[in-house]
Amino acid sequence: QVQLVESGGGLVQPGGSLRLSCAASRNIVSPNAMGWYRQAPGKQREQVAVMSSAGSTNYADSVKGRFTISRDNAKNTVYLQMNSLKPEDTAVYYCNFRNTWDEYWGQGTQVTVSS
């Protein structure tokens, strides 16, 4: 079993920045994908950004140009740099690691954008 530990959430003012991190307890066999999803109150969970082991990325239209996903394979860690945050970015953010055989979720970290 793989545990994913997230960090970096918190309260930030509109226009501010946060960096989320998610570390896996062990390596996940490639090819794989590491990504971030979010769920706001009363809404379905949605994909925010995903990065494959080959380096390709996919972003939700709502975060393009503001968020950047990156990964450090040596540390089994994925990051989400969030800039120009908006109140509508407020949600619980979950990291997700998956490959052909398995899928793992983090416990979630709250991001609140408010003045």
Side-chain angles (χ1 to χ4, degrees), residues 7 22 24 28 31 34 41 45 65 68 77 81 91 104-106 113-115:
S7 61
C22 177
I28 296 177
M34 300 180 180
R45 189 174 297 188
T68 302
T77 300
Q81 177 66 43
Y104 306 96
W105 289 91
V113 184
S114 175
S115 56

Side-chain angles (χ1 to χ4, degrees), residues 35-108:
W36 292 92
Y37 293 71
R38 67 186 181 187
Q39 187 167 19
K43 294 187 177 181
Q44 290 187 333
R45 189 174 297 188
E46 63 174 354
Q47 179 180 300
V48 176
V50 176
M51 189 171 193
S52 73
S53 50
S56 62
T57 57
N58 188 32
Y59 293 93
D61 288 342
S62 59
V63 307
K64 284 181 180 176
R66 301 188 298 121
F67 291 11
T68 302
I69 189 171
S70 61
R71 52 190 283 172
D72 185 334
N73 293 325
K75 296 181 178 180
N76 300 320
T77 300
V78 64
Y79 305 95
L80 185 67
Q81 177 66 43
M82 304 186 293
N83 298 328
S84 302
L85 282 160
K86 304 176 181 179
E88 51 264 43
D89 294 318
T90 295
V92 177
Y93 284 69
Y94 299 89
C95 66
N96 172 276
F97 284 23
R98 66 179 186 269
N99 59 18
T100 302
W101 307 275
D102 299 297
E103 183 175 34
Y104 306 96
W105 289 91
Q107 78 283 1

